[in-house]
Amino acid sequence: MSRWKELIRGTAAVLAAAVIAGAGMDMPVRAGDPDVTPQDVSEIEWKTIDNKVPVFEYQKSNTIKMYIKNMSDDKIKNIVVEPDIKDEDIDKWPFRKDYQDDEWKIKELGAGDTNKTVAFEFTERDNIGTGNHKISFKCTYELADDTEKKVYKSFWVKTTEKPKERDELDVNFTDKTPKDDEKVDDGQKEEDDKKKPAKEPEPGGVSNSEPSYSDGGGGGGSESDGSVPRVIVTGFDTEPKEVRAGTDFTLKVHLKNTSKKTRVKNMLFDLNAPEEGSDEQTTAPAFLPSSGSSSVYLEGMKANGTADISIKLNAKSDLLQKPYSVELSMKYEDSGSNAVESSSSLSIPIKQNARFEFSDFEINPESIAVGDEANVMCSLYNLGRIKLYNVRATFEGKSIEKEEVFVGNVESGATASIDAMLKGAQPSQGPEPVTMTMSYENEEGEATMEQKELMLEVTDAAEEGMEQMIPIDEEEQGGGFPIVPVVIAIGVIGMAAAAVIILKERKKRMRKNEEEDFLYELDGSSEDEQ
């Protein structure tokens, strides 16, 4: 028994040593695995903007927004982010392949800088089901020493399967038997359904309410099952595609009669937009007809048929950049001339144009020598209703070195300062133009540029030195205290004073001599008389 115990103990010791040794070994890394990032890669941080799982719906595109942050102490460059799709996994990719090359490029990122504009727009495939999917991306970049690195990253997305076609029986009836406390009067239920508005749709989407007969009875249906023929909005388009505040656009609404049996006729559609404005003087509907009225008449639609209606509208100029939900009310008749009412909500996204101004440039000094710098400042006033993202100012000219200044984000109604130091590179022929190019991005990451010019003179360094010597001499001689004239004036004054003193002394002597002569004569005359 003791030998068996020793044998078991020895075997356990060997197994324990093997486990410990195996735990200390590095597992091999498969280079092509999207979930694996090399352990020595630590230059970037790569995440989604809000850390939420994007939800994709049938025939509706959505955007996956990411950011790339440079975590190193030096810049990285030639950054390319793209989906990592292998040929053998193409059927597992849940989205349509709309472009040959679907990639996002970033020229460079400085140490600690972040780019928040990386975004990929996808539309799910028609045959995709409802569920969560992990999709992979690849990021390649170069270090300052041109070393190329790759990082793989996976993100979760949620897809929604294509909705199934439903007839009126699916809408109005269910196999579920309500409990006693859930039973309600049929007439009351239809009246409540008639009053219930359509749900608030997502931006660019549509929400349909349930139809009802105008008399509330629901018994006038021409179909054998008594159900109400249903007309829904399947989608809409705008021309132009982006609707901007203060402009005219055409709204084209796509309709469908979901009834498989009943034709509808005498269709009247009326568009009702929400009231917008800060006070009674400015309050008005967000959308008004640019010509004609907001009502449209359609003669009819066959069973299971489709049709389009168009309305020309104008978007109010002071609308904020956001989606606006408008209600499309419908009135029509079934084949038995029974009146039916329904409504749908359409969410129309509105875009605002960026509006900004620059102040005059402050240049100090307005003339510099090669190698010297001039300070250039101006203010950027955001006068529009949208935020300006990632504002940059780039100064370029023949006689200066290129200079780029990052300003950051500028809120609506805010002021930002652009402050740059421009260094002279080569002499100019007098004052020459320098171009400032200001670039900014909108919420979708689309970049826009605006230019403004200033005048700057750059002189040769040697000539500038000589020119500087002349003003110094002139300043010492003519611009400083006038020593020579003062000395001359003092000398003249001194000579004049000396002349006056000498003249006074002479007059005193002459007067004294005259007095002495006069006394002498008096004394002489008195002696003669004696």
Side-chain angles (χ1 to χ4, degrees), residues 166-200:
R166 298 184 303 169
D167 56 20
E168 291 77 9
L169 289 174
D170 295 328
V171 175
N172 292 278
F173 296 93
T174 176
D175 293 334
K176 178 182 176 182
T177 301
K179 298 178 182 179
D180 292 339
D181 58 350
E182 293 178 348
K183 292 181 180 179
V184 294
D185 180 70
D186 291 340
Q188 181 63 40
K189 182 178 184 300
E190 290 190 8
E191 185 67 23
D192 293 341
D193 289 341
K194 177 181 176 182
K195 296 178 180 178
K196 186 186 298 182
K199 295 180 180 179
E200 187 75 16

Side-chain angles (χ1 to χ4, degrees), residues 116 382 387-391 406-411 414 416 441:
K116 294 186 178 181
N382 186 0
K387 184 177 180 179
L388 306 180
Y389 294 88
N390 297 327
V391 178
F406 181 75
V407 180
N409 301 334
V410 183
E411 298 286 346
E441 298 172 357

Side-chain angles (χ1 to χ4, degrees), residues 363-368 373-376 399-400 422-424 428 430-434 454-458:
I363 308 170
N364 186 27
E366 296 182 354
S367 177
I368 58 174
E373 294 182 333
N375 180 233
V376 176
S399 303
I400 66 164
L422 306 185
K423 187 175 183 180
S428 62
E432 288 186 352
V434 174
L454 60 101
M455 302 300 290
L456 183 66
E457 182 179 15
V458 181

Side-chain angles (χ1 to χ4, degrees), residues 69-314:
K69 182 176 182 180
N70 182 5
M71 304 294 291
S72 67
D73 296 331
D74 204 347
K75 71 174 183 179
I76 58 176
K77 56 186 179 178
N78 298 329
I79 306 163
V80 179
V81 183
E82 58 186 332
D84 185 45
I85 311 174
K86 299 179 178 63
D87 293 340
E88 60 271 18
D89 296 334
I90 190 66
D91 293 336
K92 299 179 182 178
W93 186 255
F95 306 118
R96 299 195 312 230
K97 194 75 173 82
D98 296 328
Y99 304 98
Q100 293 293 333
D101 295 321
D102 196 356
E103 60 184 16
W104 192 278
K105 295 182 179 180
I106 305 171
K107 187 177 180 180
E108 67 177 25
L109 279 177
D113 287 350
T114 302
N115 186 293
K116 294 186 178 181
T117 62
V118 181
F120 291 89
E121 184 177 356
F122 296 115
T123 304
E124 67 178 28
R125 299 203 317 261
D126 292 348
N127 60 347
I128 200 69
T130 299
N132 293 319
H133 304 268
K134 183 179 283 189
I135 60 174
S136 301
F137 292 84
K138 177 177 67 175
C139 177
T140 60
Y141 59 93
E142 296 177 4
L143 303 180
D145 59 359
D146 295 335
T147 301
E148 183 178 291
K149 291 210 172 185
K150 294 181 181 180
V151 181
Y152 296 88
K153 185 77 172 179
S154 296
F155 299 98
W156 286 100
V157 296
K158 185 177 181 180
T159 58
T160 307
E161 67 179 350
K162 178 180 178 181
K164 297 179 180 179
E165 292 289 341
R166 298 184 303 169
D167 56 20
E168 291 77 9
L169 289 174
D170 295 328
V171 175
N172 292 278
F173 296 93
T174 176
D175 293 334
K176 178 182 176 182
T177 301
K179 298 178 182 179
D180 292 339
D181 58 350
E182 293 178 348
K183 292 181 180 179
V184 294
D185 180 70
D186 291 340
Q188 181 63 40
K189 182 178 184 300
E190 290 190 8
E191 185 67 23
D192 293 341
D193 289 341
K194 177 181 176 182
K195 296 178 180 178
K196 186 186 298 182
K199 295 180 180 179
E200 187 75 16
E202 295 183 1
V206 174
S207 177
N208 296 288
S209 67
E210 297 299 325
S212 63
Y213 282 101
S214 298
D215 58 7
S222 62
E223 300 185 25
S224 58
D225 54 25
S227 61
V228 184
R230 189 168 186 249
V231 176
I232 64 171
V233 175
T234 58
F236 68 90
D237 296 315
T238 59
E239 180 59 40
K241 187 176 182 180
E242 282 192 351
V243 180
R244 299 196 171 272
T247 63
D248 294 340
F249 67 99
T250 300
L251 176 65
K252 187 175 183 180
V253 183
H254 310 303
L255 305 167
K256 181 175 182 178
N257 179 8
T258 63
S259 174
K260 303 297 190 296
K261 305 174 183 178
T262 304
R263 171 185 171 85
V264 293
K265 58 183 180 179
N266 293 331
M267 308 181 72
L268 180 64
F269 302 90
D270 191 35
L271 188 73
N272 298 304
E275 297 282 336
E276 294 292 331
S278 57
D279 50 48
E280 294 182 358
Q281 286 74 25
T282 60
T283 299
F287 308 108
L288 289 174
S290 58
S291 62
S293 70
S294 59
S295 299
V296 178
Y297 176 78
L298 192 63
E299 185 175 348
M301 293 173 62
K302 65 181 181 180
N304 202 33
T306 59
D308 292 339
I309 58 173
S310 296
I311 305 175
K312 291 185 178 181
L313 301 170
N314 175 266

Side-chain angles (χ1 to χ4, degrees), residues 30-84:
R30 184 159 55 92
D33 192 344
D35 294 331
V36 176
T37 300
Q39 298 299 318
D40 60 341
V41 174
S42 60
E43 289 85 11
I44 68 169
E45 181 180 79
W46 183 8
K47 294 182 179 180
T48 54
I49 295 294
D50 53 10
N51 200 30
K52 292 183 179 180
V53 177
V55 178
F56 291 82
E57 298 183 2
Y58 176 66
Q59 289 186 345
K60 294 181 181 179
S61 62
N62 199 359
T63 303
I64 302 176
K65 297 181 179 180
M66 319 168 182
Y67 73 85
I68 300 289
K69 182 176 182 180
N70 182 5
M71 304 294 291
S72 67
D73 296 331
D74 204 347
K75 71 174 183 179
I76 58 176
K77 56 186 179 178
N78 298 329
I79 306 163
V80 179
V81 183
E82 58 186 332
D84 185 45

